Amino acid sequence: MKKWKSIWLMMIIALVAVLGACNAKDKTESAAQSEKVEPSEAAAEVTIKNNDTTQTYTEAPTKAISLNQHVTEIMLALGLEDSMVGTAYLDDKIYEPLQEAYDKVPVLSDQYPTKEQVIDAEADFLYAGWKSGFGEKGVGTPEELEELGIHTYLHTASNMTKPTLEDIFTDIRNIAKIFRIEDRGEALIEQMTKDVEAVQAKLPKDSEKLRVLVFDSGEKDVFTAGQNFMNELVTIAGGQNIFGDVESGWTTVSKEDAVDRNPEVVVVIDYGETTAEQKIQFLKNDPALKEMEAVKNERFVILPLSAASEGVRAAEAIEILAKGFYPENF
């Protein structure tokens, strides 16, 4: 009998040891899981440095306002219309594939809304394409808006010299990060990249690049593109911006200088009250500019300003330019 009691006692001790080990293992796994949760909670806090400010987002904005067309189109291309309470300042018609999404967002103003309109909309995020959005004619400085609990983001690619496609992609990634939709941001960048590569694949490989003048406006002088985004678009489309050596964005040059550099193609930027056709007629009738090879041969490419801006229509702009430069390849 004593022998059996000893055996049972040993079995009970062994069972307790096993249960204790299992319990310890469960506690270890539970602790490990809780340690994994903490970093993900910390990752919900997003810090962005932009426009000389550092802003921390503890959650994605839900009441955003876009202040210029090309950044409005970025928001819509990312599928953020339901997180927007307003938009403003169109240059021309919204990008057609985004029209349905755009119609869901209230238009606050033809130009910049007032600070009172922003407050009334209970905005928690403002996205401007140009510095003027946060200037004297805009809705207020980032510091003023931060005091009201409103985050701000200035589109970096539109406010720098020599912007590239990669700079636009950086802005898209930042917005996607702020709104916690990184996957959508990468998908948009991937599609834009593929669209650009498809156009480039059709360009002539060994021919000399066409000399291109970008004509924005001007009667006494010529307002044209130096090293702004138009320079990048023209280059990617297989052209050479004749004023690409000028170290500024939009710049004014003399008619004589434009004639001396003798462009083979003129890209006419279409916006505002003066139509593209009126600009072309001016070039044809101007005593100096009509002597340019491009004007003599009537080689004009019309590009909407909204497509020329640093936004999601970059691939479309490059295709328009490439087809105008090398129509035989398309």
Side-chain angles (χ1 to χ4, degrees):
M1 180 65 71
K2 290 181 178 179
K3 179 180 180 181
W4 284 109
K5 286 183 177 179
S6 297
I7 292 173
W8 279 109
L9 182 60
M10 292 175 64
M11 290 178 66
I12 290 170
I13 293 172
L15 180 60
V16 170
V18 170
L19 290 174
C22 289
N23 187 47
K25 181 182 178 184
D26 290 342
K27 287 183 178 179
T28 302
E29 289 179 349
S30 178
Q33 287 173 354
S34 65
E35 288 175 1
K36 291 178 182 177
V37 170
E38 288 176 2
S40 65
E41 289 175 350
E45 188 172 276
V46 173
T47 300
I48 299 290
K49 293 184 178 181
N50 175 260
N51 196 24
D52 297 325
T53 68
T54 299
Q55 302 197 24
T56 299
Y57 298 79
T58 57
E59 58 185 1
T62 58
K63 295 183 177 181
I65 295 175
S66 57
L67 300 176
N68 297 102
Q69 180 165 344
H70 59 300
V71 298
T72 296
E73 292 178 345
I74 286 176
M75 293 280 286
L76 298 178
L78 288 170
L80 290 170
E81 60 270 18
D82 291 337
S83 298
M84 299 174 69
V85 293
T87 184
Y89 223 136
L90 286 188
D91 296 309
D92 47 50
K93 291 181 180 179
I94 203 75
Y95 191 28
E96 195 276 330
L98 302 174
Q99 183 68 55
E100 184 176 348
Y102 177 76
D103 290 339
K104 297 178 181 179
V105 184
V107 177
L108 301 181
S109 175
D110 291 337
Q111 297 187 9
Y112 292 126
T114 64
K115 187 180 295 184
E116 289 72 23
Q117 285 177 301
V118 170
I119 294 172
D120 287 344
E122 299 180 347
D124 58 5
F125 179 78
L126 296 180
Y127 185 10
W130 311 107
K131 285 185 178 179
S132 55
F134 299 130
E136 293 181 1
K137 296 181 180 179
V139 296
T141 67
E143 292 78 14
E144 291 171 344
L145 294 163
E146 185 72 19
E147 290 180 2
L148 297 172
I150 303 173
H151 289 295
T152 59
Y153 188 89
L154 177 65
H155 197 62
T156 305
S158 298
N159 296 276
M160 63 188 300
T161 304
K162 295 184 179 180
T164 67
L165 278 174
E166 284 301 322
D167 294 313
I168 298 176
F169 295 162
T170 296
D171 281 314
I172 291 174
R173 287 192 174 99
N174 282 342
I175 297 301
K177 186 177 181 181
I178 289 169
F179 284 86
R180 279 61 165 183
I181 53 166
E182 287 92 338
D183 288 349
R184 292 190 216 170
E186 292 306 319
L188 176 57
I189 291 168
E190 182 180 355
Q191 186 59 57
M192 290 175 66
T193 301
K194 286 181 178 178
D195 291 343
V196 171
E197 289 174 347
V199 174
Q200 287 187 300
K202 297 180 181 180
L203 295 176
K205 299 297 184 277
D206 300 321
S207 62
E208 192 171 329
K209 290 189 174 184
L210 291 171
R211 300 185 306 278
V212 178
L213 168 68
V214 177
F215 183 76
D216 177 283
S217 57
E219 294 186 2
K220 294 183 179 179
D221 296 299
V222 175
F223 192 55
T224 186
Q227 294 180 4
N228 61 16
F229 191 52
M230 276 304 308
N231 187 65
E232 170 87 342
L233 293 174
V234 167
T235 301
I236 294 175
Q240 179 185 2
N241 175 18
I242 62 173
F243 289 106
D245 59 333
V246 178
E247 294 187 5
S248 63
W250 291 102
T251 187
T252 300
V253 300
S254 68
K255 292 180 181 179
E256 291 73 21
D257 201 0
V259 173
D260 287 344
R261 300 195 184 200
N262 196 24
E264 299 167 271
V265 181
V266 174
V267 175
V268 179
I269 306 299
D270 189 14
Y271 72 98
E273 297 179 357
T274 304
T275 67
E277 287 301 326
Q278 288 174 324
K279 292 180 181 181
I280 290 172
Q281 286 305 313
F282 167 76
L283 292 169
K284 288 181 176 180
N285 295 323
D286 185 84
L289 298 176
K290 70 179 183 180
E291 297 303 319
M292 296 188 299
E293 183 177 339
V295 178
K296 288 181 178 180
N297 295 329
E298 298 194 9
R299 293 204 62 185
F300 303 103
V301 181
I302 298 174
L303 185 68
L305 177 61
S306 53
S309 299
E310 297 82 353
V312 297
R313 298 173 64 176
E316 178 197 45
I318 291 167
E319 183 174 19
I320 290 172
L321 295 175
K323 286 181 176 179
F325 297 167
Y326 306 102
E328 64 279 4
N329 288 61
F330 290 86

